[in-house]
Amino acid sequence: MAPAVTSTTVSLDVDPQNYEDEHVHAVYDQIASHFSSTRYKPWPIIVQFLSSLSTGWVGLDSGTGNGKYLSLPADRPGSVWTIGLDRSRNLLRIAQTAGGNGVTREVLWGDVLGRPWRDGAFDYAISIATIHHLATWERRKAAVQRILQAISPSHGRALIYVWAIEQDDLSKRSIPQSQEYQIAGQDVFVPWVVAKGQLQQKSLSNVEQECRTDPSECEEIKAQEQTSPPPVFNRYYHMFAKGELTRLVHDAADELRLSIGSKADNTMGAGVEIVQDGWERSNYYVELRRWEYQ
Amino acid sequence: MVRLITHNLLACHAKGCTTNNFPLKLQDVVVEVREAEFNADFLRGFLPRIEWTALVNAAKELGDTSLPLEMPEMVDDEFLKNLHHVLLEIHVDEGAMVCPNCGHKYPIMNGIPNMLLAEHEIG
Ligand SMILES: [Zn+2]
């Protein structure tokens, strides 16, 4: 059985960046190869979205992880180019060869709150299971804004996917819940148990590093490695409440002075249309399209 | 990998660096050419989105002078083959990209560019 998910609260006193470094980025770097071996089935809405893109489009996968979407659409390989960005270098090493066939993928080591591109340079962007790792509303909003800024103001399309409080029956996880979380979402730790021998190289080399700097502790560390139970890594998640993702998009767009609605419903300016939003397999998603009048 | 398709999209995002922050200058590069599958339809679709002068100059920095200075109006097969090679087959595995405005250096290691900024550099 999967270990229980526990609720948590992000203290207002902590620096959210440091918090995410400890409870998200460090964890993914450690569990990268094990994590990657368990992630292989792309979700249907995402597959559909990527299949609907025009040939010749380039896109950004913000929080690409092991890069499982970089090789899609499977029915038209090479018809679009998706560039993967992630904070975990170890996951990016895996993403570089995602999809196999000897094809190398383009990946960037970066933060989803960064903006290392020409504004509007991408035709599309996806952010799958990423924004829920950010520890405050402001940071989640900023991540949505980076997506909106990355895509073309005239035709850019985006798909955002986050973990929902509302869980699928098939999900192995049991989630602590109460009434108040139905609006604001809920912060939780989700444990990741790594079987022995599956830890990322980096942590093993850390042990060796410590051995070099302090040989007296070396034997002790090694002994601990042998006898300790399999390590459990707690990843931080913000589980989204119903409607919360759409509210976040509204808030993000407002601040960028983008109208929400379709191009046809407006006569001037620039905006973003919510093409669809919904729930799929324990996640909320929203599909967006930017438009502008010249 | 950093290929020129990616280089053509990247810009400096250091704090306060909002003008003349593109294209990043390639520096001390180690390049390897690896064949990629040719897809004419992809290239035709992507063509209008390319910052052409930046691409031509970056290709020159990597020793490839096959592209015309102006984006051609008539697109033929030979041109597309050259474009394919420049965009998708030249891999920068090591080196750096340097901002022409503020000088910020984005190192490239094992084909992965480090676009992270230190906390005080974030805009
Ligand atoms: Zn700069």
Side-chain angles (χ1 to χ4, degrees):
Chain A
M1 217 191 93
V5 172
T6 53
S7 58
T8 185
T9 333
V10 182
S11 158
L12 294 174
D13 300 333
V14 301
D15 173 27
Q17 178 70 69
N18 293 341
Y19 188 84
E20 290 157 16
D21 284 347
E22 180 182 349
H23 297 293
V24 180
H25 308 134
V27 177
Y28 277 113
D29 259 342
Q30 297 266 317
I31 69 176
S33 56
H34 183 215
F35 170 82
S36 186
S37 67
T38 66
R39 292 287 183 282
Y40 49 91
K41 266 194 207 125
W43 288 311
I45 297 272
I46 305 165
V47 172
Q48 254 168 46
F49 176 83
L50 293 170
S51 293
S52 71
L53 300 169
S54 304
T55 295
W57 277 21
V58 293
L60 177 72
D61 181 0
S62 183
T64 191
N66 65 0
K68 71 174 158 177
Y69 299 110
L70 300 182
S71 59
L72 298 183
D75 55 338
R76 284 186 296 137
S79 62
V80 299
W81 263 94
T82 312
I83 295 171
L85 176 145
D86 206 276
R87 182 81 193 214
S88 164
R89 217 185 138 82
N90 289 340
L91 282 173
L92 287 178
R93 299 284 291 165
I94 297 165
Q96 279 183 306
T97 54
N101 295 328
V103 180
T104 44
R105 310 290 165 191
E106 291 289 289
V107 299
L108 308 171
W109 191 16
D111 194 293
V112 300
L113 298 181
R115 203 174 166 178
W117 49 73
R118 294 190 272 121
D119 276 355
F122 295 95
D123 300 294
Y124 63 96
I126 58 174
S127 163
I128 312 300
T130 298
I131 289 175
H132 57 213
H133 284 311
L134 296 165
T136 66
W137 172 272
E138 284 303 309
R139 291 168 70 79
R140 294 189 285 271
K141 178 176 74 182
V144 173
Q145 289 174 333
R146 292 301 95 81
I147 297 285
L148 291 173
Q149 289 160 330
I151 58 176
S152 157
S154 62
H155 66 259
R157 295 177 57 190
L159 183 67
I160 302 173
Y161 236 84
V162 293
W163 213 26
I165 283 186
E166 200 186 337
Q167 290 285 298
D168 182 315
D169 290 344
L170 299 171
S171 167
K172 289 174 234 140
R173 300 183 174 100
S174 71
I175 311 297
Q177 275 193 38
S178 75
Q179 220 40 40
E180 64 200 273
Y181 298 131
Q182 299 302 325
I183 296 165
Q186 181 174 8
D187 294 330
V188 296
F189 277 138
V190 179
W192 185 274
V193 182
V194 179
K196 284 214 169 151
Q198 283 175 318
L199 266 189
Q200 200 61 21
Q201 288 298 322
K202 186 183 162 196
S203 63
L204 297 175
S205 65
N206 278 356
V207 172
E208 276 158 26
Q209 179 71 37
E210 283 174 53
C211 285
R212 270 197 294 277
T213 45
D214 190 355
S216 64
E217 279 185 24
C218 178
E219 289 311 312
E220 201 180 322
I221 292 167
K222 279 194 172 156
Q224 264 175 18
E225 288 279 305
Q226 306 288 320
T227 57
S228 55
V232 176
F233 295 95
N234 273 320
R235 280 170 303 161
Y236 166 81
Y237 277 77
H238 174 79
M239 299 176 78
F240 278 66
K242 190 170 188 189
E244 189 184 354
L245 179 59
T246 309
R247 284 206 309 280
L248 190 67
V249 169
H250 274 259
D251 203 2
D254 279 351
E255 214 172 76
L256 297 177
R257 301 213 178 107
L258 296 171
S259 313
I260 293 268
S262 72
K263 187 172 187 183
D265 290 341
N266 289 270
T267 52
M268 55 182 287
V272 52
E273 178 186 357
I274 296 180
V275 178
Q276 56 166 341
D277 60 351
W279 179 92
E280 181 187 49
R281 303 199 180 176
S282 307
N283 292 274
Y284 287 116
Y285 62 87
V286 61
E287 183 187 338
L288 308 170
R289 187 193 297 271
R290 284 199 60 177
W291 54 263
E292 67 181 347
Y293 284 96
Q294 299 284 351
Chain B
M1 300 302 124
V2 186
R3 278 172 270 186
L4 293 188
I5 186 172
T6 303
H7 174 264
N8 203 257
L9 302 164
L10 297 177
C12 180
H13 63 137
K15 194 174 190 168
C17 191
T18 52
T19 54
N20 189 32
N21 56 347
F22 170 89
L24 302 175
K25 196 167 165 43
L26 292 158
Q27 201 178 69
D28 305 325
V29 294
V30 177
V31 167
E32 199 184 300
V33 172
R34 282 170 232 147
E35 241 175 80
E37 196 152 328
F38 177 71
N39 186 326
D41 291 335
F42 169 78
L43 295 167
R44 283 178 203 278
F46 181 52
L47 193 55
R49 304 279 286 143
I50 298 175
E51 284 289 328
W52 190 255
T53 307
L55 181 67
V56 172
N57 289 337
K60 230 181 264 169
E61 285 172 17
L62 301 183
D64 188 298
T65 54
S66 64
L67 297 179
L69 292 180
E70 302 279 326
M71 197 190 288
E73 287 181 16
M74 288 291 288
V75 171
D76 60 22
D77 247 26
E78 193 201 338
F79 166 74
L80 287 178
K81 288 264 156 71
N82 290 337
L83 181 63
H84 167 76
H85 179 73
V86 164
L87 284 175
L88 298 172
E89 294 192 322
I90 308 176
H91 296 248
V92 178
D93 288 340
E94 308 288 330
M97 291 180 287
V98 182
C99 174
N101 183 44
C102 75
H104 187 94
K105 195 169 172 179
Y106 298 92
I108 301 167
M109 274 158 42
N110 297 310
I112 303 178
N114 179 357
M115 305 308 290
L116 289 166
L117 296 172
E119 203 154 346
H120 66 278
E121 299 162 336
I122 297 170

